[in-house]
Amino acid sequence: MSEKNVSGRLPVPFDQSKIGLLIGKDGTNKARLEEAFNVKIEVKPEEGIVYVEPREGATLYNVYVAEKALKALSIGFSIDDVLLLKDDVYDLEIIDLGEVTKNREDLMRIKARVIGTGGRFKKALEDMTGAKIAVGEKQIGIIGDFEQNKLIKDALTRLIAGQSHQAVMKFLERYSFELKRRRMELWERIQGM
């Protein structure tokens, strides 16, 4: 099948409590998503499903990225954060807390540790790496470039495994400094070309 003739509908499970965010005031958020990813979105709130289908000229990649955007929105990202995914540099990484928790209390404890008092730990992670983080019901979403996502996933894995906030922050400081240094060197090489 050629890329020009992509068709079909892809069902994407969607958190019913976030349907309002998906649609937005007068359908503006839905329209922004459809425009950004060149897809048509059909919302079925009673089923907890959102269908994505390609518009004229769309590719399978458009549908794939739109699916990621919907997953990110369902986790709890803002519409502006989700729209970052239209740039190939950004990707969505998901940590499934259901795989690392034993019960509801364990889940709540881990989510509280990730967020931190007054949201300070989550904000510190975002500030140090430049990535965006959303803590959903049973998932943590990360939107950033490859290196940012890897760094935050490593940090969160350490935190979930029981390391202290202080130890995780030291890890982040060391590696975020290294990340910034490498990016600066790359920028200097590009400028020197």
Side-chain angles (χ1 to χ4, degrees):
M1 174 162 41
S2 85
E3 287 289 316
K4 291 181 183 177
N5 297 323
V6 175
S7 63
R9 289 180 358 152
L10 177 68
V12 180
F14 199 85
D15 182 346
Q16 290 177 318
S17 69
K18 304 271 188 330
I19 295 290
L21 177 61
L22 167 59
I23 295 170
K25 186 176 181 181
D26 299 324
T28 55
N29 289 351
K30 182 175 167 275
R32 287 175 71 192
L33 290 166
E34 289 175 332
E35 180 68 29
F37 301 109
N38 195 26
V39 295
K40 182 178 179 285
I41 297 171
E42 182 183 352
V43 181
K44 297 286 189 178
E46 65 281 352
E47 298 173 25
I49 300 279
V50 174
Y51 291 97
V52 179
E53 62 183 272
R55 286 183 173 170
E56 183 71 32
T59 65
L60 290 174
Y61 184 73
N62 293 114
V63 175
Y64 170 72
V65 178
E67 176 190 22
K68 280 188 175 193
L70 290 168
K71 285 179 180 179
L73 203 59
S74 185
I75 290 172
F77 282 101
S78 72
I79 189 73
D80 291 330
D81 290 346
V82 166
L83 288 172
L84 290 172
L85 293 169
K86 71 181 176 184
D87 184 340
D88 290 346
V89 172
Y90 293 98
D91 197 12
L92 171 68
E93 185 78 38
I94 297 174
I95 298 172
D96 185 356
L97 295 176
E99 294 177 0
V100 295
T101 58
K102 299 176 185 103
N103 53 43
R104 179 134 180 90
E105 291 80 29
D106 201 23
L107 175 70
M108 299 308 287
R109 181 186 56 78
I110 288 173
K111 286 171 54 172
R113 291 194 76 213
V114 170
I115 295 168
T117 305
R120 287 194 308 245
F121 187 74
K122 177 180 161 292
K123 177 146 179 35
L125 287 174
E126 291 175 327
D127 290 345
M128 290 181 82
T129 62
K132 305 291 183 183
I133 302 170
V135 179
E137 187 62 34
K138 292 183 180 179
Q139 297 174 320
I140 299 172
I142 308 162
I143 294 179
D145 66 27
F146 175 79
E147 288 181 316
Q148 291 168 331
N149 287 359
K150 182 181 181 328
L151 182 59
I152 287 185
K153 190 170 182 182
D154 287 350
L156 291 176
T157 300
R158 291 167 181 263
L159 189 71
I160 290 167
Q163 285 190 9
S164 70
H165 283 104
Q166 185 177 9
V168 173
M169 290 306 286
K170 284 183 180 180
F171 163 79
L172 267 176
E173 286 170 4
R174 186 172 55 248
Y175 285 98
S176 67
F177 177 78
E178 178 64 25
L179 176 63
K180 288 175 185 172
R181 186 186 64 75
R182 283 198 320 260
R183 288 182 177 193
M184 186 59 84
E185 287 175 358
L186 178 60
W187 178 252
E188 288 171 358
R189 274 189 266 151
I190 291 171
Q191 294 299 326
M193 293 180 138

